[in-house]
Each structure stands twice: as C-alpha cells, then as structure tokens.
Amino acid sequence: MVTPKAPTSNQSEIPCIGTMNLGLTIRGSTLLNDISIQVTTPGVTMILGPNGAGKSLLIKCLHGLIAPTRGRFEIGLHQRGKTIPQAMVFQKPVLLRRSVIDNLQFADRHSHQREALERALEAVSLLEKKDQPATQLSGGEQQRLSLARALITKPKLLFLDEPTASLDPASVLIIEQLIKQASQQGVKSVFISHDIGQAKRLGSDVIFLNRGQVIEHTDAATFFTNPHSREAKAYLDGEIVL
Amino acid sequence: MPDSAFLEAFGLIATANADLYEILWLSVQVSITALLISVFLGFPIGTTLAILDFRGKNLCTTLLNALMGLPPVVVGLLVYLALSRSGPFGVLGLLYTPTAMVIAQVVLITPIIAALTYQVMDDLHREYRELFLSLNIQLPKAISTYLWDARYSLITTVLAGFGRAISEVGAVMIVGGNIDHLTRVMTTAIALETSKGELAIALALGVVLLTLALIVNGLVTAVRTRARKYGYT
C-alpha cells in the first residue's frame, strides 16, 4: 500500500490533507470508496454532495473518530512530526450539562483566563448567557457555543459537519463570519454543507461526493461555473441526485 | 380494624417509644450501610459496562438486568447458606447479625444501582463519545465528567436503591432472624407484630415506613424537577 504523501502548502502553517484510496466498509456496505484527495489550499474546503454520499463519514475518518477500513490518510504541516491541533463542530451540537461558560472551560486546553473565555463568548453573542445552562439555549445558540468551544482549543484544522443546518439567519451569519475570521488567522476549515449559496460565500475549493466516491475536487470558482461531472451539474441545478 | 390501634400507633410515634425507635434506627443503619457499599460497587460496575467495549458486554448487561429482579427470599436463602456454620463463610459467625442483613441487602440492591447507573452512563456516553474523542479527553476526565453530568440521575438511582433496601423483608428475615434488640428491623417487625395481633406497633412502624417512602419519593421528584428546570436531563 502506498502511503499518501502529506502535501505541502505554500503557507507553512496551513495544514494539508492527503488521502490515498481511503475506504470504509461497515457490515458489508461500502460507504467510502477509493477516496484520494490532496487538499493544499488555505481557507475553507467545502464538501458537497447529496444525502448519504459519505460526507460526514469522510470528515469523521479524517478527524480520527472512525478508523477507515482501507487506504491511508495524512494530515501534515511543513513542520513534520508536529501534532496538528484539530477540532470538530458536529451537526447536532453536543453540550455538557453545565453552564455556557463551563462548556468552554471544559474544552480549554490552554487554561485561558476567564476574560478570554468571555471574549470568546462575546464573539458568538453569548456573553449575556454565560451562566445559563447550555442545554437550554436555542439551536442556533447551541451551535454558536459549539463553534466557540472548538475555536477555544486553538485548532489549525477545523472540521464542520453541517453546522448551520436549519439555523436562523443571524446564527448562520455569526458562524460564517467566525469561520472567515479563523481562515484569516490561518485555520484550515473543512466544511460540509447542503447550502450552495453558503458554499459560494465560504469555499476556496470544493470536494463533491456521491455514493461514497469523490466525483470532483476543484477550486470553488471552477466548480460553480463549470462543473465537470454530470452529477455535480445536476446537483447545482437543484436536481435530485441519487 | 379498631380505631384504638391507630390512636395507639400514633401515640407510640408521638411519645418516641424506645422499642419503635430502636427498630427504626437499626433499619436505617442497615439500609444506609448496604446502600453505601452498593453505590461503591454499583457505580463503577455500571460505568465500566457503559464506557468499555469488550466481548460479552451484551451478556453482562443482560445478566445485570436479570439480577435486578432477584427474588429477595432466594437471596436470603443463598446468603444464609453462605453464612451458616457449614457454609463457606460460617467461621465468620455473621449469621443472625446486622452484618448478615447488610450483606443480603447489598446482594439485592447492587444490581439495581449498577443497572440503573449503566443506563444513565450508556446514554451519556453515546451522546458525549465523539465529542470527547474530538477534544482528546482522557478516560479519567471523561469518567469524572460523566459522573458530574449524570449527578441528578445518579441521585435518583441512589434514592431508588435506598427505597428498595428499607422496604426489604424476605432476605433480612432469613439471614437476620428478626431477633429482638439485635436484628429486628421495621419490615420484619411489622410482619411479626401483625402475626401476633399487636396491631398498634405494626401500624406505627407502617406509618414510619410509609413516611420514609414518601420522603424518598418526594426527594426523587424534587431532584428530577430541579434537573429538568436547569436542563440537566
């Protein structure tokens, strides 16, 4: 088996992702098949595709939550051997049964002062609710807290699994602004979305998946103006892709 | 039922009848001791089963759930056989002592505490597992988080265990022998006094037992209400 070469980016602090024939089979079903990608660009890599395409499974594999059954992947920086701090925001926010600020503190590996935690909450417009039980926040607030919690760990690589699905526009705006801000600070994001408008607003490149396979991986401008695959064209035209 | 028995029963309670309070105190002592030991055993068993994946896990959980329904008299009989002179622990001379009653109650309520802990922890583990992996949370911190976040459910579990222990009769009757001033607890005393026709003391003990049950259930409700109010369920 060939070990994927960790790609190198032109910006030494931007994490790069390389996979080689990555596959996942569970109970005889092939859910991911021969995924070979090289993500070297900074900014936000959007993962698009219909339901059941394997988008969530792919980022869970890359984040280390699921072990792939075939192939290899590597996430690298220029400084080889250095552990790359990663974080993930899940589609359904998972919050501890404690206050908003305690949820942040729980994930805080860098022992921030309380003021720093409060600033992080302010960035997601949750400072006023810092002492409220986190599970009593609205869906949008919970997801904003999840993002703040992910960012407080100072990740270099951030995976986001449909973080804005069925959220109010205000929450979507805050989340998108924070992702852009993080990108400017050198955080690489891999973002799953079903919202084509959002993909256009955020994406620097797009990976289009269907039936567990990478159909297309190209820069965002090309993907949205001139998609090469029939499936991607159909998806962008709003047709049902099976 | 004669009204005078009721009046006499309340009189016994109101005048702090020494025999009645001796029985009450021993009951509480035995049940609390058994409960503490069961919590000490049941929390780690339930938590370990919930968090760790291993071969035979399903068998263990099935067994644990089955043990929740152990018939008290069978437990009493088994503990009796183990502690009797000819039994493996006969040399300890524990039969017909409060210690024997504690042992029987521990055998009865540990599976209840462990099984309920497992259910609580399993739900929490399913919810938090990926987050903890993502945040690289190590096992000791994960366990302490589970215990803290499940605190209201675990308090309910402990209260359920206490309720089961304090109201137990069959097993403690067999291994304790219901000896006056030594192993007589509320439930065994009620059974004996009723059979003797001494309804006043039986009723007084019944009232106390019922009050205890109400207090425990009230606490369970209060804990649940608080947990719901603060979004901790």
Side-chain angles (χ1 to χ4, degrees):
Chain A
M1 189 171 290
V2 184
T3 304
K5 230 174 119 180
T8 53
S9 73
N10 47 10
Q11 296 186 3
S12 62
E13 283 298 318
I14 301 295
C16 310
I17 302 164
T19 72
M20 176 72 77
N21 305 118
L22 197 77
L24 179 69
T25 300
I26 297 175
R27 287 188 281 276
S29 292
T30 300
L31 305 171
L32 292 176
N33 194 17
D34 267 342
I35 305 272
S36 296
I37 46 171
Q38 301 282 307
V39 178
T40 56
T41 52
V44 182
T45 295
M46 300 299 301
I47 301 185
L48 301 181
N51 285 331
K55 305 182 294 295
S56 297
L57 288 175
L58 176 60
I59 68 167
K60 281 182 179 178
C61 281
L62 295 175
H63 189 44
L65 300 182
I66 299 175
T69 49
R70 289 183 306 284
R72 303 286 292 268
F73 72 93
E74 198 167 309
I75 292 171
L77 276 177
H78 258 312
Q79 301 98 319
R80 300 300 300 275
K82 192 175 163 187
T83 311
I84 296 170
Q86 302 180 17
M88 182 158 174
V89 177
F90 298 91
Q91 185 175 1
K92 185 172 177 270
V94 182
L95 297 172
L96 305 181
R97 288 156 173 75
R98 49 189 77 184
S99 73
V100 167
I101 197 154
D102 285 348
N103 264 272
L104 270 198
Q105 198 156 30
F106 179 80
D108 180 16
R109 286 193 286 259
H110 303 277
S111 305
H112 287 100
Q113 298 295 313
R114 197 170 169 89
E115 291 75 35
L117 298 177
E118 288 180 353
R119 276 198 301 278
L121 286 179
E122 200 169 12
V124 289
S125 306
L126 285 175
L127 184 56
E128 283 174 9
K129 300 193 173 185
K130 65 178 177 177
D131 295 319
Q132 280 191 20
T135 50
Q136 287 188 338
L137 298 176
S138 70
E141 289 169 337
Q142 289 194 8
Q143 198 56 289
R144 272 148 48 196
L145 177 57
S146 297
L147 179 58
R149 186 178 57 194
L151 291 173
I152 204 83
T153 65
K154 293 193 181 300
K156 295 298 288 177
L157 180 56
L158 181 60
F159 293 101
L160 302 113
D161 187 358
E162 294 188 55
T164 57
S166 53
L167 292 194
D168 59 292
S171 292
V172 173
L173 185 67
I174 291 173
I175 287 173
E176 288 189 5
Q177 280 172 344
L178 278 170
I179 303 292
K180 283 179 189 167
Q181 224 171 63
S183 283
Q184 284 160 7
Q185 289 162 6
V187 178
K188 171 73 194 167
S189 297
V190 180
F191 194 120
I192 295 177
S193 180
H194 279 286
D195 181 345
I196 291 167
Q198 183 174 57
K200 285 179 182 171
R201 288 193 297 275
L202 293 177
S204 55
D205 60 325
V206 176
I207 296 171
F208 184 76
L209 284 180
N210 191 27
R211 295 184 180 189
Q213 286 186 307
V214 175
I215 304 297
E216 205 164 327
H217 179 201
T218 181
D219 64 277
T222 308
F223 183 81
F224 291 115
T225 54
N226 186 25
H228 301 308
S229 64
R230 185 177 48 83
E231 293 93 334
K233 274 182 194 147
Y235 184 80
L236 290 173
D237 288 342
E239 291 173 23
I240 294 169
V241 179
L242 296 173
Chain B
M1 193 180 296
D3 290 345
S4 59
F6 271 109
L7 289 174
E8 211 180 320
F10 283 109
L12 287 171
I13 297 168
T15 56
N17 179 274
D19 283 347
L20 188 136
Y21 280 92
E22 185 190 58
I23 291 169
L24 170 64
W25 178 233
L26 180 64
S27 301
V28 171
Q29 270 183 307
V30 167
S31 297
I32 295 276
T33 309
L35 183 68
L36 290 175
I37 296 169
S38 296
V39 165
F40 184 74
L41 297 171
F43 275 10
I45 292 171
T47 307
T48 306
L49 264 181
I51 292 175
L52 298 184
D53 283 321
F54 56 91
R55 266 176 86 104
K57 180 173 172 168
N58 283 343
L59 183 70
C60 286
T61 53
T62 306
L63 197 65
L64 192 60
N65 287 330
L67 288 175
M68 280 176 81
L70 270 177
V73 284
V74 175
V75 171
L77 179 62
L78 293 174
V79 175
Y80 175 88
L81 291 173
L83 298 181
S84 64
R85 286 274 169 230
S86 54
F89 302 106
V91 287
L92 299 174
L94 294 175
L95 199 61
Y96 303 130
T97 65
T99 307
M101 294 152 75
V102 169
I103 293 169
Q105 288 199 354
V106 166
V107 175
L108 270 173
I109 62 175
T110 298
I112 296 172
I113 302 268
L116 294 177
T117 302
Y118 167 76
Q119 281 163 19
V120 170
M121 293 301 193
D122 188 49
D123 288 346
L124 214 50
H125 181 56
R126 283 171 198 273
E127 190 181 334
Y128 288 178
R129 196 185 72 87
E130 287 192 335
L131 175 71
F132 285 3
L133 276 174
S134 174
L135 293 173
N136 198 21
I137 301 296
Q138 301 301 307
L139 193 61
K141 188 175 178 185
I143 290 174
S144 65
T145 306
Y146 287 135
L147 288 171
W148 179 250
D149 280 22
R151 59 197 180 279
Y152 288 105
S153 302
L154 291 177
I155 290 171
T156 307
T157 298
V158 171
L159 291 173
F162 179 72
R164 182 74 180 85
I166 198 82
S167 60
E168 207 290 311
V169 54
V172 292
M173 180 82 94
I174 294 173
V175 300
N178 199 18
I179 302 166
D180 202 10
H181 303 298
L182 182 64
T183 59
R184 186 161 295 170
V185 288
M186 283 192 289
T187 49
T188 57
I190 290 171
L192 178 73
E193 300 300 337
T194 306
S195 68
K196 281 163 54 185
E198 296 286 346
L199 295 181
I201 184 99
L203 275 171
L205 288 165
V207 167
V208 172
L209 193 57
L210 209 58
T211 308
L212 270 176
L214 281 173
I215 290 171
V216 169
N217 278 292
L219 284 172
V220 169
T221 307
V223 165
R224 282 187 178 154
T225 307
R226 186 180 158 81
R228 262 197 297 272
K229 182 179 173 190
Y230 292 106
Y232 293 132
T233 53

PDB file of all heavy atoms in Angstrom, chain B residues 19-46:
ATOM      1  N   ASP B  19     -38.710   1.149  71.904  1.00  0.00           N
ATOM      2  CA  ASP B  19     -38.609  -0.047  71.040  1.00  0.00           C
ATOM      3  C   ASP B  19     -38.763   0.328  69.579  1.00  0.00           C
ATOM      4  O   ASP B  19     -38.019  -0.140  68.710  1.00  0.00           O
ATOM      5  CB  ASP B  19     -39.695  -1.067  71.415  1.00  0.00           C
ATOM      6  CG  ASP B  19     -39.326  -1.811  72.681  1.00  0.00           C
ATOM      7  OD1 ASP B  19     -38.149  -1.691  73.088  1.00  0.00           O
ATOM      8  OD2 ASP B  19     -40.209  -2.482  73.251  1.00  0.00           O
ATOM      9  N   LEU B  20     -39.757   1.186  69.330  1.00  0.00           N
ATOM     10  CA  LEU B  20     -40.045   1.588  67.952  1.00  0.00           C
ATOM     11  C   LEU B  20     -38.841   2.308  67.332  1.00  0.00           C
ATOM     12  O   LEU B  20     -38.424   2.018  66.214  1.00  0.00           O
ATOM     13  CB  LEU B  20     -41.277   2.495  67.961  1.00  0.00           C
ATOM     14  CG  LEU B  20     -41.827   2.858  66.582  1.00  0.00           C
ATOM     15  CD1 LEU B  20     -43.344   2.748  66.580  1.00  0.00           C
ATOM     16  CD2 LEU B  20     -41.443   4.256  66.181  1.00  0.00           C
ATOM     17  N   TYR B  21     -38.278   3.222  68.113  1.00  0.00           N
ATOM     18  CA  TYR B  21     -37.162   3.992  67.555  1.00  0.00           C
ATOM     19  C   TYR B  21     -35.874   3.163  67.457  1.00  0.00           C
ATOM     20  O   TYR B  21     -35.039   3.418  66.589  1.00  0.00           O
ATOM     21  CB  TYR B  21     -36.967   5.293  68.334  1.00  0.00           C
ATOM     22  CG  TYR B  21     -37.991   6.320  67.867  1.00  0.00           C
ATOM     23  CD1 TYR B  21     -39.222   6.442  68.499  1.00  0.00           C
ATOM     24  CD2 TYR B  21     -37.737   7.115  66.743  1.00  0.00           C
ATOM     25  CE1 TYR B  21     -40.186   7.334  68.044  1.00  0.00           C
ATOM     26  CE2 TYR B  21     -38.695   8.008  66.282  1.00  0.00           C
ATOM     27  CZ  TYR B  21     -39.912   8.119  66.935  1.00  0.00           C
ATOM     28  OH  TYR B  21     -40.864   9.002  66.469  1.00  0.00           O
ATOM     29  N   GLU B  22     -35.770   2.149  68.330  1.00  0.00           N
ATOM     30  CA  GLU B  22     -34.615   1.243  68.213  1.00  0.00           C
ATOM     31  C   GLU B  22     -34.700   0.479  66.877  1.00  0.00           C
ATOM     32  O   GLU B  22     -33.707   0.347  66.149  1.00  0.00           O
ATOM     33  CB  GLU B  22     -34.610   0.251  69.376  1.00  0.00           C
ATOM     34  CG  GLU B  22     -33.387  -0.638  69.378  1.00  0.00           C
ATOM     35  CD  GLU B  22     -33.512  -1.771  70.391  1.00  0.00           C
ATOM     36  OE1 GLU B  22     -34.475  -2.570  70.293  1.00  0.00           O
ATOM     37  OE2 GLU B  22     -32.649  -1.864  71.265  1.00  0.00           O
ATOM     38  N   ILE B  23     -35.910   0.009  66.584  1.00  0.00           N
ATOM     39  CA  ILE B  23     -36.130  -0.729  65.323  1.00  0.00           C
ATOM     40  C   ILE B  23     -35.891   0.195  64.124  1.00  0.00           C
ATOM     41  O   ILE B  23     -35.217  -0.174  63.155  1.00  0.00           O
ATOM     42  CB  ILE B  23     -37.566  -1.314  65.299  1.00  0.00           C
ATOM     43  CG1 ILE B  23     -37.696  -2.427  66.327  1.00  0.00           C
ATOM     44  CG2 ILE B  23     -37.913  -1.832  63.909  1.00  0.00           C
ATOM     45  CD1 ILE B  23     -39.130  -2.881  66.569  1.00  0.00           C
ATOM     46  N   LEU B  24     -36.411   1.408  64.229  1.00  0.00           N
ATOM     47  CA  LEU B  24     -36.245   2.375  63.138  1.00  0.00           C
ATOM     48  C   LEU B  24     -34.766   2.681  62.900  1.00  0.00           C
ATOM     49  O   LEU B  24     -34.282   2.683  61.761  1.00  0.00           O
ATOM     50  CB  LEU B  24     -37.015   3.655  63.483  1.00  0.00           C
ATOM     51  CG  LEU B  24     -36.773   4.865  62.566  1.00  0.00           C
ATOM     52  CD1 LEU B  24     -37.244   4.581  61.149  1.00  0.00           C
ATOM     53  CD2 LEU B  24     -37.481   6.100  63.110  1.00  0.00           C
ATOM     54  N   TRP B  25     -34.034   2.917  63.995  1.00  0.00           N
ATOM     55  CA  TRP B  25     -32.619   3.268  63.892  1.00  0.00           C
ATOM     56  C   TRP B  25     -31.814   2.133  63.259  1.00  0.00           C
ATOM     57  O   TRP B  25     -30.978   2.362  62.377  1.00  0.00           O
ATOM     58  CB  TRP B  25     -32.099   3.629  65.294  1.00  0.00           C
ATOM     59  CG  TRP B  25     -30.633   3.976  65.342  1.00  0.00           C
ATOM     60  CD1 TRP B  25     -29.691   3.438  66.147  1.00  0.00           C
ATOM     61  CD2 TRP B  25     -29.953   4.952  64.552  1.00  0.00           C
ATOM     62  NE1 TRP B  25     -28.474   3.992  65.908  1.00  0.00           N
ATOM     63  CE2 TRP B  25     -28.598   4.933  64.925  1.00  0.00           C
ATOM     64  CE3 TRP B  25     -30.358   5.831  63.552  1.00  0.00           C
ATOM     65  CZ2 TRP B  25     -27.634   5.750  64.348  1.00  0.00           C
ATOM     66  CZ3 TRP B  25     -29.392   6.648  62.965  1.00  0.00           C
ATOM     67  CH2 TRP B  25     -28.061   6.604  63.358  1.00  0.00           C
ATOM     68  N   LEU B  26     -32.099   0.891  63.682  1.00  0.00           N
ATOM     69  CA  LEU B  26     -31.377  -0.261  63.118  1.00  0.00           C
ATOM     70  C   LEU B  26     -31.700  -0.399  61.622  1.00  0.00           C
ATOM     71  O   LEU B  26     -30.801  -0.647  60.804  1.00  0.00           O
ATOM     72  CB  LEU B  26     -31.738  -1.555  63.861  1.00  0.00           C
ATOM     73  CG  LEU B  26     -31.032  -2.801  63.336  1.00  0.00           C
ATOM     74  CD1 LEU B  26     -29.509  -2.715  63.542  1.00  0.00           C
ATOM     75  CD2 LEU B  26     -31.565  -4.075  63.989  1.00  0.00           C
ATOM     76  N   SER B  27     -32.979  -0.195  61.275  1.00  0.00           N
ATOM     77  CA  SER B  27     -33.386  -0.292  59.858  1.00  0.00           C
ATOM     78  C   SER B  27     -32.599   0.701  59.007  1.00  0.00           C
ATOM     79  O   SER B  27     -32.075   0.358  57.945  1.00  0.00           O
ATOM     80  CB  SER B  27     -34.877   0.013  59.692  1.00  0.00           C
ATOM     81  OG  SER B  27     -35.633  -0.868  60.448  1.00  0.00           O
ATOM     82  N   VAL B  28     -32.554   1.932  59.509  1.00  0.00           N
ATOM     83  CA  VAL B  28     -31.869   2.983  58.746  1.00  0.00           C
ATOM     84  C   VAL B  28     -30.371   2.676  58.660  1.00  0.00           C
ATOM     85  O   VAL B  28     -29.755   2.790  57.592  1.00  0.00           O
ATOM     86  CB  VAL B  28     -32.131   4.373  59.382  1.00  0.00           C
ATOM     87  CG1 VAL B  28     -31.253   5.441  58.741  1.00  0.00           C
ATOM     88  CG2 VAL B  28     -33.596   4.746  59.233  1.00  0.00           C
ATOM     89  N   GLN B  29     -29.799   2.235  59.787  1.00  0.00           N
ATOM     90  CA  GLN B  29     -28.363   1.906  59.807  1.00  0.00           C
ATOM     91  C   GLN B  29     -28.028   0.815  58.788  1.00  0.00           C
ATOM     92  O   GLN B  29     -27.095   0.952  57.992  1.00  0.00           O
ATOM     93  CB  GLN B  29     -27.967   1.403  61.202  1.00  0.00           C
ATOM     94  CG  GLN B  29     -27.520   2.483  62.150  1.00  0.00           C
ATOM     95  CD  GLN B  29     -27.075   1.881  63.469  1.00  0.00           C
ATOM     96  OE1 GLN B  29     -27.811   1.120  64.095  1.00  0.00           O
ATOM     97  NE2 GLN B  29     -25.862   2.206  63.874  1.00  0.00           N
ATOM     98  N   VAL B  30     -28.819  -0.264  58.824  1.00  0.00           N
ATOM     99  CA  VAL B  30     -28.572  -1.398  57.924  1.00  0.00           C
ATOM    100  C   VAL B  30     -28.730  -0.954  56.466  1.00  0.00           C
ATOM    101  O   VAL B  30     -27.870  -1.240  55.612  1.00  0.00           O
ATOM    102  CB  VAL B  30     -29.524  -2.573  58.258  1.00  0.00           C
ATOM    103  CG1 VAL B  30     -29.520  -3.627  57.159  1.00  0.00           C
ATOM    104  CG2 VAL B  30     -29.150  -3.212  59.583  1.00  0.00           C
ATOM    105  N   SER B  31     -29.804  -0.224  56.194  1.00  0.00           N
ATOM    106  CA  SER B  31     -30.084   0.157  54.808  1.00  0.00           C
ATOM    107  C   SER B  31     -29.057   1.156  54.268  1.00  0.00           C
ATOM    108  O   SER B  31     -28.622   1.050  53.122  1.00  0.00           O
ATOM    109  CB  SER B  31     -31.485   0.747  54.681  1.00  0.00           C
ATOM    110  OG  SER B  31     -32.434  -0.231  55.014  1.00  0.00           O
ATOM    111  N   ILE B  32     -28.677   2.124  55.107  1.00  0.00           N
ATOM    112  CA  ILE B  32     -27.698   3.133  54.648  1.00  0.00           C
ATOM    113  C   ILE B  32     -26.341   2.456  54.404  1.00  0.00           C
ATOM    114  O   ILE B  32     -25.664   2.725  53.407  1.00  0.00           O
ATOM    115  CB  ILE B  32     -27.552   4.272  55.679  1.00  0.00           C
ATOM    116  CG1 ILE B  32     -28.853   5.063  55.803  1.00  0.00           C
ATOM    117  CG2 ILE B  32     -26.368   5.173  55.338  1.00  0.00           C
ATOM    118  CD1 ILE B  32     -29.069   6.164  54.794  1.00  0.00           C
ATOM    119  N   THR B  33     -25.958   1.551  55.318  1.00  0.00           N
ATOM    120  CA  THR B  33     -24.665   0.860  55.153  1.00  0.00           C
ATOM    121  C   THR B  33     -24.684   0.048  53.851  1.00  0.00           C
ATOM    122  O   THR B  33     -23.740   0.103  53.053  1.00  0.00           O
ATOM    123  CB  THR B  33     -24.388  -0.078  56.354  1.00  0.00           C
ATOM    124  OG1 THR B  33     -24.554   0.671  57.549  1.00  0.00           O
ATOM    125  CG2 THR B  33     -22.995  -0.657  56.290  1.00  0.00           C
ATOM    126  N   ALA B  34     -25.774  -0.696  53.657  1.00  0.00           N
ATOM    127  CA  ALA B  34     -25.886  -1.510  52.435  1.00  0.00           C
ATOM    128  C   ALA B  34     -25.880  -0.614  51.201  1.00  0.00           C
ATOM    129  O   ALA B  34     -25.239  -0.938  50.187  1.00  0.00           O
ATOM    130  CB  ALA B  34     -27.171  -2.336  52.480  1.00  0.00           C
ATOM    131  N   LEU B  35     -26.553   0.521  51.320  1.00  0.00           N
ATOM    132  CA  LEU B  35     -26.631   1.438  50.179  1.00  0.00           C
ATOM    133  C   LEU B  35     -25.250   1.988  49.818  1.00  0.00           C
ATOM    134  O   LEU B  35     -24.866   2.025  48.646  1.00  0.00           O
ATOM    135  CB  LEU B  35     -27.585   2.591  50.517  1.00  0.00           C
ATOM    136  CG  LEU B  35     -27.826   3.597  49.402  1.00  0.00           C
ATOM    137  CD1 LEU B  35     -28.603   2.963  48.259  1.00  0.00           C
ATOM    138  CD2 LEU B  35     -28.587   4.809  49.926  1.00  0.00           C
ATOM    139  N   LEU B  36     -24.496   2.403  50.845  1.00  0.00           N
ATOM    140  CA  LEU B  36     -23.162   2.958  50.584  1.00  0.00           C
ATOM    141  C   LEU B  36     -22.270   1.925  49.899  1.00  0.00           C
ATOM    142  O   LEU B  36     -21.557   2.238  48.936  1.00  0.00           O
ATOM    143  CB  LEU B  36     -22.516   3.447  51.891  1.00  0.00           C
ATOM    144  CG  LEU B  36     -23.146   4.696  52.511  1.00  0.00           C
ATOM    145  CD1 LEU B  36     -22.504   5.021  53.858  1.00  0.00           C
ATOM    146  CD2 LEU B  36     -23.002   5.899  51.580  1.00  0.00           C
ATOM    147  N   ILE B  37     -22.320   0.684  50.400  1.00  0.00           N
ATOM    148  CA  ILE B  37     -21.498  -0.374  49.789  1.00  0.00           C
ATOM    149  C   ILE B  37     -21.966  -0.626  48.346  1.00  0.00           C
ATOM    150  O   ILE B  37     -21.155  -0.773  47.434  1.00  0.00           O
ATOM    151  CB  ILE B  37     -21.567  -1.679  50.630  1.00  0.00           C
ATOM    152  CG1 ILE B  37     -20.962  -1.430  52.021  1.00  0.00           C
ATOM    153  CG2 ILE B  37     -20.835  -2.823  49.928  1.00  0.00           C
ATOM    154  CD1 ILE B  37     -21.217  -2.544  53.030  1.00  0.00           C
ATOM    155  N   SER B  38     -23.271  -0.637  48.155  1.00  0.00           N
ATOM    156  CA  SER B  38     -23.815  -0.896  46.808  1.00  0.00           C
ATOM    157  C   SER B  38     -23.454   0.213  45.831  1.00  0.00           C
ATOM    158  O   SER B  38     -23.174  -0.049  44.662  1.00  0.00           O
ATOM    159  CB  SER B  38     -25.335  -1.039  46.867  1.00  0.00           C
ATOM    160  OG  SER B  38     -25.665  -2.162  47.622  1.00  0.00           O
ATOM    161  N   VAL B  39     -23.467   1.456  46.319  1.00  0.00           N
ATOM    162  CA  VAL B  39     -23.066   2.574  45.455  1.00  0.00           C
ATOM    163  C   VAL B  39     -21.585   2.437  45.102  1.00  0.00           C
ATOM    164  O   VAL B  39     -21.179   2.611  43.954  1.00  0.00           O
ATOM    165  CB  VAL B  39     -23.345   3.932  46.159  1.00  0.00           C
ATOM    166  CG1 VAL B  39     -22.626   5.075  45.459  1.00  0.00           C
ATOM    167  CG2 VAL B  39     -24.845   4.198  46.186  1.00  0.00           C
ATOM    168  N   PHE B  40     -20.787   2.085  46.109  1.00  0.00           N
ATOM    169  CA  PHE B  40     -19.348   1.906  45.907  1.00  0.00           C
ATOM    170  C   PHE B  40     -19.079   0.824  44.854  1.00  0.00           C
ATOM    171  O   PHE B  40     -18.141   0.928  44.066  1.00  0.00           O
ATOM    172  CB  PHE B  40     -18.708   1.541  47.258  1.00  0.00           C
ATOM    173  CG  PHE B  40     -17.219   1.431  47.203  1.00  0.00           C
ATOM    174  CD1 PHE B  40     -16.418   2.574  47.115  1.00  0.00           C
ATOM    175  CD2 PHE B  40     -16.595   0.192  47.230  1.00  0.00           C
ATOM    176  CE1 PHE B  40     -15.039   2.466  47.054  1.00  0.00           C
ATOM    177  CE2 PHE B  40     -15.218   0.087  47.169  1.00  0.00           C
ATOM    178  CZ  PHE B  40     -14.434   1.227  47.086  1.00  0.00           C
ATOM    179  N   LEU B  41     -19.920  -0.214  44.846  1.00  0.00           N
ATOM    180  CA  LEU B  41     -19.747  -1.295  43.858  1.00  0.00           C
ATOM    181  C   LEU B  41     -20.489  -1.001  42.559  1.00  0.00           C
ATOM    182  O   LEU B  41     -19.981  -1.218  41.462  1.00  0.00           O
ATOM    183  CB  LEU B  41     -20.267  -2.624  44.436  1.00  0.00           C
ATOM    184  CG  LEU B  41     -19.563  -3.184  45.670  1.00  0.00           C
ATOM    185  CD1 LEU B  41     -20.347  -4.376  46.231  1.00  0.00           C
ATOM    186  CD2 LEU B  41     -18.152  -3.620  45.320  1.00  0.00           C
ATOM    187  N   GLY B  42     -21.704  -0.509  42.702  1.00  0.00           N
ATOM    188  CA  GLY B  42     -22.591  -0.381  41.538  1.00  0.00           C
ATOM    189  C   GLY B  42     -22.204   0.718  40.568  1.00  0.00           C
ATOM    190  O   GLY B  42     -22.309   0.533  39.352  1.00  0.00           O
ATOM    191  N   PHE B  43     -21.731   1.849  41.076  1.00  0.00           N
ATOM    192  CA  PHE B  43     -21.333   2.947  40.174  1.00  0.00           C
ATOM    193  C   PHE B  43     -20.197   2.508  39.244  1.00  0.00           C
ATOM    194  O   PHE B  43     -20.311   2.673  38.024  1.00  0.00           O
ATOM    195  CB  PHE B  43     -20.919   4.190  40.971  1.00  0.00           C
ATOM    196  CG  PHE B  43     -22.074   5.085  41.374  1.00  0.00           C
ATOM    197  CD1 PHE B  43     -23.392   4.680  41.215  1.00  0.00           C
ATOM    198  CD2 PHE B  43     -21.843   6.334  41.926  1.00  0.00           C
ATOM    199  CE1 PHE B  43     -24.448   5.491  41.592  1.00  0.00           C
ATOM    200  CE2 PHE B  43     -22.889   7.163  42.307  1.00  0.00           C
ATOM    201  CZ  PHE B  43     -24.196   6.735  42.147  1.00  0.00           C
ATOM    202  N   PRO B  44     -19.102   1.949  39.804  1.00  0.00           N
ATOM    203  CA  PRO B  44     -18.025   1.526  38.887  1.00  0.00           C
ATOM    204  C   PRO B  44     -18.448   0.412  37.930  1.00  0.00           C
ATOM    205  O   PRO B  44     -18.059   0.433  36.760  1.00  0.00           O
ATOM    206  CB  PRO B  44     -16.925   1.018  39.835  1.00  0.00           C
ATOM    207  CG  PRO B  44     -17.221   1.627  41.140  1.00  0.00           C
ATOM    208  CD  PRO B  44     -18.708   1.794  41.207  1.00  0.00           C
ATOM    209  N   ILE B  45     -19.279  -0.525  38.412  1.00  0.00           N
ATOM    210  CA  ILE B  45     -19.715  -1.618  37.523  1.00  0.00           C
ATOM    211  C   ILE B  45     -20.530  -1.032  36.358  1.00  0.00           C
ATOM    212  O   ILE B  45     -20.276  -1.317  35.190  1.00  0.00           O
ATOM    213  CB  ILE B  45     -20.547  -2.671  38.300  1.00  0.00           C
ATOM    214  CG1 ILE B  45     -19.676  -3.422  39.302  1.00  0.00           C
ATOM    215  CG2 ILE B  45     -21.199  -3.677  37.331  1.00  0.00           C
ATOM    216  CD1 ILE B  45     -20.440  -4.318  40.268  1.00  0.00           C
ATOM    217  N   GLY B  46     -21.510  -0.209  36.688  1.00  0.00           N
ATOM    218  CA  GLY B  46     -22.373   0.375  35.656  1.00  0.00           C
ATOM    219  C   GLY B  46     -21.598   1.269  34.694  1.00  0.00           C
ATOM    220  O   GLY B  46     -21.784   1.210  33.478  1.00  0.00           O
TER     221      GLY B  46
END
